[in-house]
Amino acid sequence: MAVRKIVLIDEEKCDGCGLCVEACAEGAIQVIAGKARLVSETYCDGLGACIGDCPQRAITVVEREAAPFNEKAVKQRLHSPQKPQERAAEDVVINRGCPGAALRTLRDQPAAYGNVSLPQVSALGHWPVQLMLIPPTAPFLRGADILVCADCVPFVVPDFHSKYLAGKAVLVGCPKLDNLSLYRDKLKDIFRTADPRSITVLKMEVPCCTGIALAAIEARDFALPHLPITVETIGIRSSSKCEE
């Protein structure tokens, strides 16, 4: 232990927005139970790069007795993939200021449901589901089977949860109403950061829906060119056709 500079987070001021998590290159901060917290003193270099990204001014740098900064431990933390059970145990909340967009892992839900026949049983394992609200560092994306889904699909497929959603991390978007270039860039970041096990795209048969598949394929080609991607087109009357 030695007296050195280290960040101090005021939990009263912190609203759990998660911007400091992204700003910390050492991965020393994590949002737990809705508040930013220092994961370990050894991960914090005390430079305070996260201060300017905190809209609530909840972070300061103080001098106090703390464990020394361990650069080797930081590198191991940043480059060591977590085990699935460790990812499931995390309770990360990143909300960008909107409570309805709070990121959370629904830990009471099984990772896979098998054949779910009851329509009232949800196979959703995380929140939010909108593509542009989910950060590439979301724990439920790492090494996952990712489902990129046009937002109309679940309304057409009566057994959507059991047939497509169970065991997958879902990213929902509308290629007709949203900016496809933003989708493409966001998916590039997600695929590159999360290193998913598989990618499946569900789109509707209407022509405008092709954009979400193209964005996913281009992002895959950029980030993970050797990873197969499955594109399935859903008909208005729930028929489906696998294209790749």
Side-chain angles (χ1 to χ4, degrees), residues 191-205:
F191 294 165
R192 181 172 49 199
T193 303
D195 192 21
R197 181 167 49 190
S198 69
I199 303 170
T200 301
V201 179
L202 294 181
K203 67 182 184 70
M204 294 298 299
E205 65 179 353

Side-chain angles (χ1 to χ4, degrees), residues 25-243:
E26 291 72 35
I29 301 176
Q30 182 176 321
V31 179
I32 302 174
K35 297 290 183 179
R37 304 178 193 275
L38 194 62
V39 177
S40 171
E41 294 179 345
T42 59
Y43 299 150
C44 178
D45 59 11
L47 296 179
C50 52
I51 292 177
D53 288 81
C54 178
Q56 302 300 322
R57 299 184 180 179
I59 304 176
T60 55
V61 173
V62 299
E63 279 198 29
R64 64 171 176 85
E65 192 175 69
F69 172 62
N70 189 329
E71 186 175 359
K72 183 178 180 181
V74 168
K75 290 181 179 179
Q76 290 177 342
R77 171 177 169 78
L78 295 178
H79 294 91
S80 297
Q82 292 172 295
K83 298 177 182 179
Q85 61 267 31
E86 291 173 337
R87 295 199 299 268
E90 291 184 350
D91 183 13
V92 179
V93 176
I94 301 178
N95 63 23
R96 305 294 189 198
C98 174
L103 170 71
R104 68 202 77 162
T105 299
L106 307 181
R107 292 177 293 173
D108 59 336
Q109 300 288 350
Y113 274 66
N115 184 20
V116 179
S117 58
L118 299 177
Q120 67 268 30
V121 177
S122 172
L124 183 64
H126 63 84
W127 186 264
V129 297
Q130 286 291 336
L131 170 60
M132 298 309 295
L133 295 179
I134 301 176
T137 54
F140 49 76
L141 293 177
R142 298 178 196 143
D145 295 308
I146 290 182
L147 175 64
V148 181
C149 182
D151 57 2
C152 293
V153 170
F155 295 95
V156 177
V157 182
D159 56 347
F160 173 79
H161 282 249
S162 60
K163 187 174 182 179
Y164 294 113
L165 183 58
K168 292 184 173 63
V170 62
L171 308 172
V172 177
C174 177
K176 173 70 172 179
L177 301 178
D178 295 335
N179 188 320
L180 281 178
S181 64
L182 293 181
Y183 275 13
R184 184 170 52 251
D185 292 340
K186 185 66 177 288
L187 287 170
K188 284 180 181 179
D189 290 339
I190 288 176
F191 294 165
R192 181 172 49 199
T193 303
D195 192 21
R197 181 167 49 190
S198 69
I199 303 170
T200 301
V201 179
L202 294 181
K203 67 182 184 70
M204 294 298 299
E205 65 179 353
V206 293
C208 62
C209 210
T210 302
I212 197 167
L214 293 177
I217 292 171
E218 290 176 16
R220 185 282 309 264
D221 291 346
F222 176 84
L224 300 166
H226 302 297
L227 183 67
I229 185 170
T230 300
V231 178
E232 191 164 341
T233 300
I234 307 298
I236 300 298
R237 296 185 180 275
S238 192
S239 60
S240 65
K241 180 178 67 174
C242 190
E243 300 179 2

